[in-house]
Amino acid sequence: MKKILNFICLVSFLCCTTGVFAQNTVTGKVTDEDGIGILGATIQVQGTTTGTTSDDDGNYSISASTGDVLIFSYIGYQTQRISVTGNVVNAQLKENVSLLDEVVVSSTRKPVRKLQATTAINSIGTEELATLKAESFTEAIQNTPGVIIDETQGRKGGFNIRGFPGGSIYTTTLIDGLPVSGIAVQSGGTQEFYGIDQNVQNIEVVRGAAATLFGRASAAGAINIISKTGGTEHHGSFSMTKYSNNSRAGHQFEDEVDYRVDMNFNGPISDKLRYNIGGYVLEDSGVKEQFAKDRGAQVRANFDYLLSETSSIRLYASAFNNQFQNITDAPWDLENERILDGWHPANAFFNDASNLTTAFGQLNVRQGFFNTALATDASGNTLTDRPGRNREKTQGASVGIDLNFDLGNGWFWNERVRYNDFRYNDINEFNFSTFYDVNSTVSRFNGEANNQNRTWITEHRISKQIKGATAEHNISGGLYFSNANRDRLGVNFIYGSSVDFRNPTVGNSFGFSTGSFGFPQPPATSYISNTSSNRQETSTGLFIGDEMVFNEKLSLNLAFRYDWLKHRFNNDPEEIRDTGVDFNPATFEENELKFNDLSYSIGANYLLGESSAIYANYVRAFSLPGSINLTTELPDDNEVVNNFEVGYRAGLGDLTLDFTIFNTKIDNRTATIFDGGLGEFVERPAGSNKIFGGEFAAVYTPKAIRGLLVRGSLTLQNSEYEEFFVPVGSGVDQSGDLFGLNLVGSGDEAGINLEGLKAQNRPPTIYNINIGYNASRWGADFGGFTYSGGYADALNLYELPTISEYNFGAYYTFPLGSNQLRFSMRIKNLFDGANARQLVVGGQNTDAGLVELQNNPTRAGRISSAVFQNPKRVLFTVGYQF
């Protein structure tokens, strides 16, 4: 590795000292048909990754050579291509309701028009992000077809693409094209690294066919977070948001002021050096009542040095100290299918900090589930902990470099390197009692993980552009490498709580006086355990591909990627960097697993006319178990994903259409189950899944009503199990009512074949609608989503309620010379929907719901736990732009 880095440094030095190319800075202005400057228009040098955006007045600056073609694009306007003949190139864009001309960079390894993309892809731009007032990257992509979001955790939500049955192991989140993490199970999230801020230029969502671009953890797709770049003039923004307080009467945070301050500044330092820097400060009680607040601060910055017309160096870094609420639940009345009387979606277990210390301050931590010896830290002090602190806290930094060199004769070289280093404290709490009643003392499980993550991520890529009279090739190949270390001290315990309010006279939907439920006491069966581990994950990927264009009509993309993964897991304290948070286990154990497999894809796009195209693609990808520990065994076969899709895009007058049909098969799946003998979750072979569906999206922007935009999408998908086997426990009456389930075998060998049943928490119907109107100084919008038809459990015994969440926003701007002051208001969950997004009816065993129904088919008086929609919240923002 050291030799490789030395070689990279040597070549970089030679390129910087000998490759002083002829330089030409092109400036100009992008205007509409009335001559008014367009803010945020994209200017791209055709066939390269060099690009910029226009400022508030439509001005821009970019490095380009005489003879280069500049592509000017902006949503709602026709794309223009203008050859560079001098130092000034102005562009006047004509209105065009089609959104198919916007340039996207995540569909292939070079920028292309969305119309010519071979995959389904959507882009969320700066203006839409400002309108949504998203508190997480998850919330920012809520209007994307085929995407299901779960923002119930506030600023650290999750998302799912096209009904894939697993979690983040099928999706990858990238920052400017490089994965956020070298740890596969963290590849789908961003909250461990930073929150959403005003440094984001836009977010692109690729659905399907992404594995050959971004690795094996992107079989379902990827989201690419693209950062802002400084321009030729200094610009900035500053805003302050005041949140309505969701803490009810009697809660410790009920009188707190909840706010967030955002800022961003960018511009030139010299003719060749540009900067962009921004971040936020946050102090918020959160969307739900918790022991801990959302609070913190972060800053991100990038500096771009233009070596030549097409060569550049980017240095970037971030520092963050964020604390976000974690998932929490509340009681769900199974009989009446609603939240339990006396509870509100804002309520959460253990929100009163004054009682936590008294109840749990003396609970010592044992070394294991079956080892009663007390766990101690490196100094011999007994470890203790308290439940109720649901939160995720991350402190750390990242730094990286992105080198782009034009080597001449169509050869380009790109080097990307990033290093992440942070502490990550993650506390989750939920009911271990799957079913109970109002008089029960429920068992609550609390798992706390203190992590330290260090990750090196690199990508080395070289490409060759070949242009002929009727054909163009962009051949690229390279190496991806990441090395991640994750130290973990885990504290797990169970304690008890009642369900009733302490003060039943205040049991209504709007609040309570002294807390949300009865004073907790650890039950006699409670146990507390500690787990410690060091995880090392090394990933290597070789990739090669050719992006071809024939006669400017047919685009073909062919790509191959081979990935190797080595995962080493041990509990040796000598392997852990910070020994101050560890203890000496009774025995040292180690487990090392090695995986490798091939991904390949082929995609095609054919232009039927100036504003219509058909496209199709096929991808073969693979995935690996999401839960790897000391007992994980190498599966006989890797999990394989085969996906095919075909689509049609067209701009028809005032209407833009995008229609896609997709079919996915996932073979050799494993399932994560709780093994009571081992006292931990393990992976076991289970079967296969299949997904079939379609996405239809339409955008209507009538020329007769300038400023009006109506956008909607409908996704229909069937995500179901195929020959998927799960064992049944001793509690199931095998001769009783099985509610239509297919019992296979008998006795201790009995199980249920889930063939034909829907994957849990994957609704088959997704509907989005957005209506917006923007005048010269004011604007308003209404929109949201509806999910329906899903099931809470793999046996499809408990149907999820329909989830509808719609928002309303409005703004007014005051011009201050060339600057502006903007006041805005946004209401999230406008109709205050209070349904369950998830029902905890599976427990530790898949068949727990079946046992419950056999014992109580009417569900009379029975309660389960649920994760609810976030309650209605109002945001007021005042912002200044210059």
Side-chain angles (χ1 to χ4, degrees):
M1 182 64 184
K2 184 176 180 181
K3 292 181 178 180
I4 294 175
L5 291 175
N6 288 338
F7 173 75
I8 293 170
C9 293
L10 174 61
V11 176
S12 301
F13 174 77
L14 292 175
C15 288
C16 292
T17 55
T18 64
V20 182
F21 306 104
Q23 298 180 1
N24 184 27
T25 299
V26 177
T27 60
K29 188 171 185 176
V30 185
T31 61
D32 61 16
E33 293 174 279
D34 297 326
I36 300 174
I38 297 175
L39 165 65
T42 298
I43 302 93
Q44 193 87 30
V45 178
Q46 182 171 292
T48 75
T49 59
T50 302
T52 188
T53 56
S54 58
D55 62 20
D56 291 349
D57 299 319
N59 297 316
Y60 77 94
S61 174
I62 194 171
S63 294
S65 303
T66 300
D68 281 346
V69 176
L70 297 184
I71 303 174
F72 297 85
S73 62
Y74 187 70
I75 295 176
Y77 292 84
Q78 294 178 8
T79 295
Q80 270 202 44
R81 288 170 172 78
I82 303 176
S83 296
V84 177
T85 58
N87 294 331
V88 178
V89 177
N90 295 318
Q92 187 175 59
L93 303 185
K94 297 181 179 180
E95 271 196 275
N96 180 7
V97 298
S98 174
L99 303 182
L100 302 178
D101 280 334
E102 62 180 320
V103 176
V104 292
V105 299
S106 308
S107 175
T108 59
R109 294 194 177 274
K110 67 173 185 177
V112 297
R113 287 193 300 159
K114 182 180 177 181
L115 181 64
Q116 293 178 285
T118 60
T119 60
I121 184 170
N122 283 73
S123 181
I124 301 96
T126 305
E127 285 300 312
E128 186 174 355
L129 291 172
T131 299
L132 286 172
K133 291 290 187 295
E135 298 297 324
S136 67
F137 289 102
T138 294
E139 190 178 356
I141 64 174
Q142 63 181 345
N143 295 320
T144 306
V147 173
I148 304 167
I149 71 160
D150 179 3
E151 87 297 5
T152 52
Q153 299 178 63
R155 294 178 171 88
K156 55 151 297 188
F159 64 92
N160 177 268
I161 297 178
R162 288 185 171 175
F164 269 68
S168 61
I169 60 172
Y170 295 111
T171 57
T172 294
T173 299
L174 307 106
I175 306 172
D176 297 317
L178 202 62
V180 294
S181 176
I183 299 175
V185 294
Q186 291 182 337
S187 63
T190 58
Q191 62 274 0
E192 296 93 345
F193 305 94
Y194 65 90
I196 192 169
D197 57 26
Q198 293 185 2
N199 295 295
V200 178
Q201 176 68 35
N202 63 299
I203 303 171
E204 295 184 351
V205 185
V206 182
R207 306 186 301 284
T212 52
L213 284 176
F214 310 123
R216 61 96 178 171
S218 52
I223 69 170
N224 190 10
I225 301 162
I226 301 170
S227 303
K228 289 180 179 178
T229 300
T232 58
E233 295 184 3
H234 296 281
H235 293 284
S237 60
F238 177 89
S239 67
M240 181 171 180
T241 299
K242 168 68 173 64
Y243 301 96
S244 61
N245 192 306
N246 277 358
S247 299
R248 306 283 156 160
H251 191 273
Q252 58 184 344
F253 299 142
E254 66 169 302
D255 296 322
E256 298 289 329
V257 176
D258 300 324
Y259 69 91
R260 171 176 171 142
V261 176
D262 286 89
M263 63 208 74
N264 174 260
F265 309 97
N266 59 77
I269 297 176
S270 67
D271 290 342
K272 296 181 181 180
L273 183 61
R274 313 287 170 80
Y275 75 93
N276 176 77
I277 186 170
Y280 62 72
V281 177
L282 172 69
E283 181 79 17
D284 181 20
S285 302
V287 293
K288 297 184 180 180
E289 297 172 321
Q290 291 276 30
F291 173 84
K293 289 185 174 185
D294 285 357
R295 57 158 55 101
Q298 75 176 30
V299 61
R300 294 199 297 133
N302 55 65
F303 299 89
D304 292 88
Y305 185 75
L306 308 178
L307 292 170
S308 72
E309 310 151 349
T310 51
S311 299
S312 64
I313 297 177
R314 165 172 285 196
L315 295 174
Y316 59 91
S318 64
F320 40 87
N321 186 346
N322 291 317
Q323 175 179 290
F324 298 153
Q325 288 187 355
N326 227 328
I327 192 170
T328 189
D329 56 87
W332 174 260
D333 186 336
L334 284 169
E335 181 181 8
N336 298 299
E337 297 185 333
R338 63 170 185 255
I339 192 170
L340 185 66
D341 288 342
W343 287 78
H344 184 272
N347 299 157
F349 279 88
F350 288 98
N351 57 11
D352 191 338
S354 63
N355 291 319
L356 290 174
T357 303
T358 304
F360 299 107
Q362 302 305 314
L363 285 184
N364 298 325
V365 180
R366 300 174 184 174
Q367 286 195 0
F369 281 91
F370 307 107
N371 183 352
T372 59
L374 295 180
T376 59
D377 61 21
S379 301
N381 300 314
T382 302
L383 293 176
T384 61
D385 208 281
R386 300 188 299 271
R389 299 182 299 156
N390 271 7
R391 65 177 182 177
E392 180 176 277
K393 185 171 183 178
T394 307
Q395 296 173 279
S398 66
V399 62
I401 184 170
D402 194 341
L403 309 176
N404 288 283
F405 297 112
D406 184 343
L407 304 179
N409 296 320
W411 287 94
F412 295 88
W413 178 33
N414 174 246
E415 286 291 329
R416 293 175 176 174
V417 180
R418 182 188 299 131
Y419 177 68
N420 299 325
D421 195 333
F422 62 92
R423 294 174 180 267
Y424 173 41
N425 181 237
D426 187 20
I427 305 175
N428 284 279
E429 181 184 333
F430 55 88
N431 260 342
F432 230 37
S433 299
T434 305
F435 301 96
Y436 49 93
D437 57 44
V438 294
N439 299 314
S440 299
T441 296
V442 296
S443 294
R444 301 278 299 170
F445 175 84
N446 185 274
E448 177 174 353
N450 294 289
N451 300 278
Q452 291 191 16
N453 286 24
R454 294 98 67 202
T455 304
W456 279 101
I457 306 172
T458 65
E459 185 185 82
H460 321 283
R461 175 160 52 98
I462 192 165
S463 60
K464 169 67 173 176
Q465 292 181 359
I466 305 173
K467 297 182 179 180
T470 60
E472 178 181 336
H473 293 263
N474 186 69
I475 303 171
S476 63
L479 169 70
Y480 169 87
F481 177 80
S482 63
N483 184 26
N485 282 271
R486 182 183 181 188
D487 303 331
R488 180 182 184 272
L489 173 69
V491 179
N492 309 295
F493 44 92
I494 295 178
Y495 58 91
S497 170
S498 65
V499 180
D500 287 337
F501 276 25
R502 296 190 197 124
N503 187 346
T505 62
V506 196
N508 59 66
S509 301
F510 300 100
F512 45 86
S513 59
T514 57
S516 61
F517 53 87
F519 187 76
Q521 293 293 338
T525 58
S526 78
Y527 55 86
I528 303 171
S529 69
N530 183 66
T531 57
S532 177
S533 64
N534 168 260
R535 307 173 188 219
Q536 300 175 24
E537 186 171 319
T538 303
S539 179
T540 305
L542 284 175
F543 56 86
I544 187 170
D546 188 6
E547 301 163 42
M548 299 160 273
V549 180
F550 300 96
N551 296 315
E552 298 185 352
K553 281 185 172 293
L554 176 63
S555 299
L556 290 177
N557 296 330
L558 183 64
F560 298 88
R561 180 176 178 125
Y562 202 91
D563 286 273
W564 295 264
L565 175 69
K566 182 174 74 173
H567 197 115
R568 180 169 169 262
F569 188 105
N570 69 76
N571 66 341
D572 186 349
E574 296 297 326
E575 298 279 356
I576 296 178
R577 179 172 60 173
D578 189 350
T579 57
V581 297
D582 210 309
F583 73 105
N584 291 323
T587 59
F588 298 132
E589 299 177 87
E590 182 173 290
N591 188 18
E592 182 174 286
L593 302 176
K594 296 181 180 180
F595 309 87
N596 58 85
D597 212 327
L598 173 69
S599 301
Y600 51 87
S601 64
I602 183 169
N605 179 296
Y606 185 76
L607 295 179
L608 300 174
E610 287 293 325
S611 59
S612 63
I614 56 173
Y615 65 95
N617 65 73
Y618 165 78
V619 63
R620 190 268 193 193
F622 75 101
S623 189
L624 301 173
S627 176
I628 298 178
N629 49 40
L630 289 173
T631 59
T632 302
E633 299 178 359
L634 190 69
D636 293 333
D637 298 292
N638 291 334
E639 185 174 304
V640 176
V641 180
N642 287 277
N643 180 75
F644 174 78
E645 68 177 290
V646 60
Y648 170 76
R649 301 185 179 105
L652 307 173
D654 294 350
L655 189 64
T656 299
L657 303 176
D658 199 333
F659 178 68
T660 309
I661 296 176
F662 55 89
N663 186 68
T664 304
K665 181 71 180 301
I666 311 173
D667 292 315
N668 309 321
R669 280 203 64 205
T670 59
T672 303
I673 62 173
F674 187 81
D675 190 315
L678 296 173
E680 62 184 26
F681 290 93
V682 297
E683 295 283 333
R684 294 289 184 264
S688 60
N689 284 71
K690 61 181 180 180
I691 309 166
F692 178 79
E695 302 161 354
F696 176 76
V699 180
Y700 179 59
T701 52
K703 292 181 181 179
I705 309 176
R706 295 187 63 176
L708 178 65
L709 183 146
V710 181
R711 177 176 57 193
S713 68
L714 174 65
T715 301
L716 300 175
Q717 59 186 18
N718 186 29
S719 178
E720 65 180 39
Y721 300 101
E722 185 178 68
E723 298 181 359
F724 204 95
F725 179 85
V726 295
V728 299
S730 58
V732 174
D733 181 359
Q734 297 183 21
S735 62
D737 190 348
L738 296 176
F739 303 94
L741 296 173
N742 181 19
L743 185 69
V744 180
S746 60
D748 294 338
E749 302 297 323
I752 295 173
N753 186 0
L754 303 184
E755 182 177 3
L757 300 182
K758 291 181 173 60
Q760 63 191 106
N761 296 316
R762 300 295 177 258
T765 303
I766 307 170
Y767 175 70
N768 298 84
I769 183 68
N770 290 91
I771 304 172
Y773 179 77
N774 294 285
S776 59
R777 291 192 180 182
W778 67 275
D781 72 282
F782 169 82
F785 57 84
T786 296
Y787 305 150
S788 63
Y791 286 89
D793 63 317
L795 302 185
N796 290 188
L797 300 174
Y798 300 86
E799 188 171 358
L800 286 169
T802 296
I803 294 291
S804 291
E805 201 161 293
Y806 290 86
N807 311 312
F808 172 78
Y811 72 88
Y812 191 89
T813 61
F814 293 91
L816 301 174
S818 60
N819 308 327
Q820 73 172 21
L821 190 65
R822 175 167 170 160
F823 293 89
S824 63
M825 179 267 301
R826 189 155 193 85
I827 306 174
K828 297 187 177 184
N829 195 1
L830 177 65
F831 305 118
D832 209 12
N835 274 330
R837 280 188 174 274
Q838 300 177 34
L839 291 178
V840 187
V841 293
Q844 300 174 31
N845 301 304
T846 305
D847 57 25
L850 175 59
V851 174
E852 170 64 24
L853 282 185
Q854 286 185 331
N855 294 330
N856 185 4
T858 66
R859 310 179 188 181
R862 299 301 281 166
I863 302 169
S864 184
S865 292
V867 180
F868 291 88
Q869 293 177 254
N870 291 335
K872 179 168 65 177
R873 206 169 199 209
V874 183
L875 287 67
F876 296 95
T877 303
V878 56
Y880 177 70
Q881 294 181 344
F882 63 90

